[in-house]
């Protein structure tokens, strides 16, 4: 039996910081309301010439450096993103080229805010089956470019960033259990419905969200999924040391922690610093915690994310 283990993490946030106070001058909102409802205090916004692949490459280089591998050891690259550089080629192929690598599978995976756990679960299957030995898995987004900055219900929530991990084949577990789900009946609750046809944008080009409906679905879905993932692994809530959730809303995070019986000291929270960065949020949080030395060898960690589709998923792993 072979497994996959995370041996390095990395992240990148654009330089520009947009605080709640700055947004107060642009839309009818205020810092107190944003913090109370979401936990967000600031977010990062990509520069005019920064692309998703630029953010991804920076995070990837950090993860490679921390893992101690040679870049040439990588033989699988997956980029989770909903904001690719271009329609095609894939952002993964662009990242592969920018890293000076070639010749192995590289592809994008689109599951919105659940994208990173979907990508990590996919890479895990490749490594377990022997289809690869060393994977680079990235979550990267520039959501600022699909936001209507006059829509106060959405523009305060999202930001840009990238996070990455190096996953290596191992006889000892790392990743213990993965669980992925989707339900397209809810596809219109959180969506960016516009598309390009004959050189023109057809339909609404910005993100649209029914916030209350998303909140209600997410709270129950993530609680149920956490229990289910632990049960599939033959473990209980008492075995869990850390929760690394999708960083969308502090109230959803607190609800999931309460369901798992975890003190918030055992939950990685970075939503206040960068808002909802979609597929980038979990690897950003993971790298932040790793950099602070929060995890100990052997700690049982649950990663969970939910996004448009609806898609949702979890990865249970040993550090």
């Amino acid at each position: 039996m072979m497994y996959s283990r995370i041996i390095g993490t990395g992240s990148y946030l654009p330089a520009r910081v947009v605080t709640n106070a700055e947004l107060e001058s642009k839309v009818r909102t205020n810092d107190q309301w944003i913090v109370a409802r979401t936990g967000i205090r600031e977010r990062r916004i990509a520069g005019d010439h920064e692309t998703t692949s630029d953010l991804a490459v920076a995070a990837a280089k950090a993860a490679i450096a921390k893992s101690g591998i040679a870049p040439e050891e990588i033989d699988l690259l997956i980029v989770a993103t909903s904001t690719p550089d271009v329609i095609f080629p894939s952002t993964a192929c662009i990242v592969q080229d920018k890293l000076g690598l070639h010749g192995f599978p590289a592809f994008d995976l689109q599951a919105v805010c659940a994208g990173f756990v979907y990508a990590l679960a996919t890479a895990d299957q490749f490594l377990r089956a022997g289809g690869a030995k060393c994977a680079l898995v990235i979550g990267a987004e520039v959501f600022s470019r699909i936001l209507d900055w006059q829509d106060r219900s959405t523009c305060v929530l999202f930001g840009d960033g990238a996070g990455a991990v190096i996953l290596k084949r191992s006889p000892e577990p790392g990743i213990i259990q993965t669980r992925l789900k989707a339900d397209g009946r809810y596809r219109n609750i959180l969506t960016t419905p516009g598309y390009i046809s004959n050189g023109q944008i057809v339909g609404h080009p910005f993100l649209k969200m029914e916030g209350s409906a998303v909140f209600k679905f997410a709270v129950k879905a993530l609680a149920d999924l956490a229990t289910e993932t632990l049960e599939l692994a033959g473990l209980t809530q008492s075995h869990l040391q850390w929760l690394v959730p999708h960083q969308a809303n502090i109230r959803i995070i607190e609800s999931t922690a309460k369901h798992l019986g975890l003190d918030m000291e055992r939950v990685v929270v970075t939503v206040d610093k960068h808002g909802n960065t979609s597929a980038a949020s979990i690897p950003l949080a993971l790298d932040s915690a790793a950099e602070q030395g929060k995890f100990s060898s052997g700690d049982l960690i649950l990663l969970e994310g939910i996004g448009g589709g609806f898609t949702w998923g979890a990865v249970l792993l040993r550090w």
Side-chain angles (χ1 to χ4, degrees), residues 61-234:
K61 287 181 176 178
I64 291 168
K66 292 177 191 176
S67 70
I69 66 161
E72 292 72 24
E73 293 182 55
I74 297 168
D75 56 3
L76 173 66
L77 169 56
I78 306 176
V79 175
T81 187
S82 300
T83 52
D85 286 14
V86 292
I87 294 175
F88 66 84
S90 70
T91 301
C93 283
I94 297 170
V95 169
Q96 187 188 52
D97 178 49
K98 288 183 176 181
L99 289 173
L101 304 173
H102 59 86
F104 55 82
F107 58 89
D108 288 358
L109 193 153
Q110 214 278 48
V112 201
C113 300
F116 183 76
V117 288
Y118 262 66
L120 199 59
T122 301
D124 175 59
Q125 293 298 316
F126 267 86
L127 270 62
R128 283 175 180 256
K133 295 179 180 178
C134 184
L136 170 57
V137 183
I138 306 170
E141 304 281 14
V142 285
F143 255 55
S144 60
R145 291 174 188 157
I146 57 170
L147 296 178
D148 177 356
W149 288 95
Q150 301 305 310
D151 178 6
R152 67 173 185 157
S153 68
T154 57
C155 73
V156 302
L157 303 178
F158 296 90
D160 304 334
V165 301
I166 298 293
L167 202 62
K168 200 161 188 180
R169 204 161 189 250
S170 168
E172 298 179 3
I175 292 179
I176 298 169
Q177 186 70 53
T178 64
R179 189 69 171 159
L180 305 178
K181 296 195 174 189
D183 194 333
R185 291 176 297 178
Y186 299 93
R187 67 188 185 277
N188 294 320
I189 292 175
L190 176 56
T191 178
T192 303
Y195 61 94
I196 294 176
S197 177
N198 298 317
Q200 303 294 321
I201 296 175
V202 179
H204 190 71
F206 299 121
L207 183 149
K208 297 172 62 178
M209 181 174 70
E210 296 178 26
S212 178
V214 171
F215 180 87
K216 290 176 183 177
F217 188 96
V219 165
K220 185 177 188 309
L222 291 175
D224 291 347
L225 183 64
T227 300
E228 185 179 337
T229 305
L230 286 163
E231 288 177 350
L232 286 169

Side-chain angles (χ1 to χ4, degrees), residues 24-41:
E24 285 182 22
S25 66
K26 298 179 180 179
V27 292
R28 190 164 56 87
T29 189
N30 62 73
D31 175 73
Q32 184 179 5
W33 184 91
I34 296 170
V35 173
R37 297 293 294 269
T38 70
I40 300 168
R41 297 183 182 276

